[in-house]
Amino acid sequence: MGDYKKYFKKYIKTNYRSEFDRIIADTDSNYKIISTDTSFAKTSRNPIDKRLDFSSYFLALIKTLDSNGETFDDIRKICLQITTEYVQPKSKIQEYFKLLLPKLTNTWVGQGLIKAFHNRVKVNSNADGFIANIITNKQETYGLGYGIDIIECGICKLFQKHNYSKYASILCEVDEITSGLAGLQLIRTGTIANGAKKCDFRFKRN
């Protein structure tokens, strides 16, 4: 996931300059507790679980700001500032590969990668992790041959465990941004964070 904390520090300083040191200290303290619930992700065979360490720090900041009396809208604002910059490609090479991956879906290389990915995400040895199904039917995926149904969301489980479920949907908003960076338009009918039974990811080429 890279050094994601620098993005948190940047926008905490931008929005809370006078309280920066205290907010960082409180966030780090909260993260130390919360991250024990996601430590399994570092060695998980399910690649989607890799998002959970970032999500732990994300939740740690939310908990800090909520305890500080910040409103949902203010918390959402800074969280989207952080995540929007974090997901941007950091080089021309990263930008190239983000755009390349959707183009590979209907090649033998792409099909092999999709099959391997599906085998890893369809099960999870840890009850706190993700479970997903990969959809390859072209009629169900706007001709792309690739879609995802998240059946169990590790982020929602984490936020629910710490009684912060109402904030989990903020991370869902970033999916539209990451799709756009890959040259795709995200089509989605619902998310687990907003009460649906699954998160369905379908894409159209831009």
Side-chain angles (χ1 to χ4, degrees):
M1 296 293 287
D3 182 20
Y4 59 76
K5 291 184 182 180
K6 66 183 180 183
Y7 301 103
F8 284 84
K9 291 177 180 178
K10 174 181 177 179
Y11 287 102
I12 291 170
K13 183 169 285 188
T14 298
N15 290 276
Y16 302 99
R17 184 172 294 274
S18 64
E19 300 176 86
F20 174 77
D21 290 336
R22 181 184 61 79
I23 290 175
I24 286 293
D26 289 350
T27 300
D28 285 340
S29 179
N30 286 329
Y31 170 73
K32 188 175 181 180
I33 296 169
I34 294 169
S35 62
T36 60
D37 295 323
T38 59
S39 59
F40 73 91
K42 295 176 182 178
T43 56
S44 173
R45 292 190 73 254
N46 188 322
I48 309 179
D49 287 346
K50 303 303 180 186
R51 302 178 182 184
L52 290 175
D53 186 58
F54 175 89
S55 301
S56 289
Y57 204 80
F58 189 88
L59 176 55
L61 174 61
I62 290 172
K63 188 173 183 179
T64 297
L65 296 178
D66 182 56
S67 299
N68 202 38
E70 300 297 326
T71 66
F72 178 92
D73 287 340
D74 286 338
I75 292 172
R76 175 181 174 272
K77 174 188 172 183
I78 185 173
C79 287
L80 288 178
Q81 287 175 335
I82 293 165
T83 50
T84 297
E85 182 167 347
Y86 174 65
V87 300
Q88 297 300 316
K90 305 303 182 289
S91 67
K92 289 293 184 182
I93 293 175
Q94 286 187 8
E95 183 179 355
Y96 171 77
F97 277 106
K98 282 182 180 291
L99 292 168
L100 175 65
L101 289 173
K103 298 177 182 178
L104 295 176
T105 53
N106 292 315
T107 67
W108 67 268
V109 173
Q111 291 299 308
L113 291 172
I114 290 171
K115 184 177 180 180
F117 185 60
H118 176 68
N119 289 337
R120 290 207 168 199
V121 302
K122 68 180 180 180
V123 295
N124 203 316
S125 60
N126 195 294
D128 292 328
F130 284 86
I131 295 178
N133 288 326
I134 306 303
I135 312 301
T136 57
N137 186 309
K138 288 188 177 183
Q139 290 185 335
E140 295 182 42
T141 58
Y142 299 95
L144 184 64
Y146 177 74
I148 310 173
D149 285 343
I150 303 293
I151 308 302
E152 294 186 17
C153 174
I155 295 171
C156 289
K157 293 174 186 178
L158 177 67
F159 277 59
Q160 183 178 26
K161 185 173 184 178
H162 292 270
N163 299 311
Y164 276 85
S165 290
K166 74 175 184 177
Y167 293 96
S169 62
I170 297 173
L171 276 171
C172 301
E173 296 184 52
V174 185
D175 295 331
E176 188 170 340
I177 298 170
T178 55
S179 300
L181 292 171
L184 300 171
Q185 177 189 357
L186 174 64
I187 309 295
R188 185 161 60 189
T189 62
T191 64
I192 295 170
N194 286 316
K197 292 184 178 180
K198 65 181 181 181
C199 307
D200 57 335
F201 291 73
R202 302 293 185 272
F203 309 97
K204 286 183 178 180
R205 297 184 190 275
N206 284 335

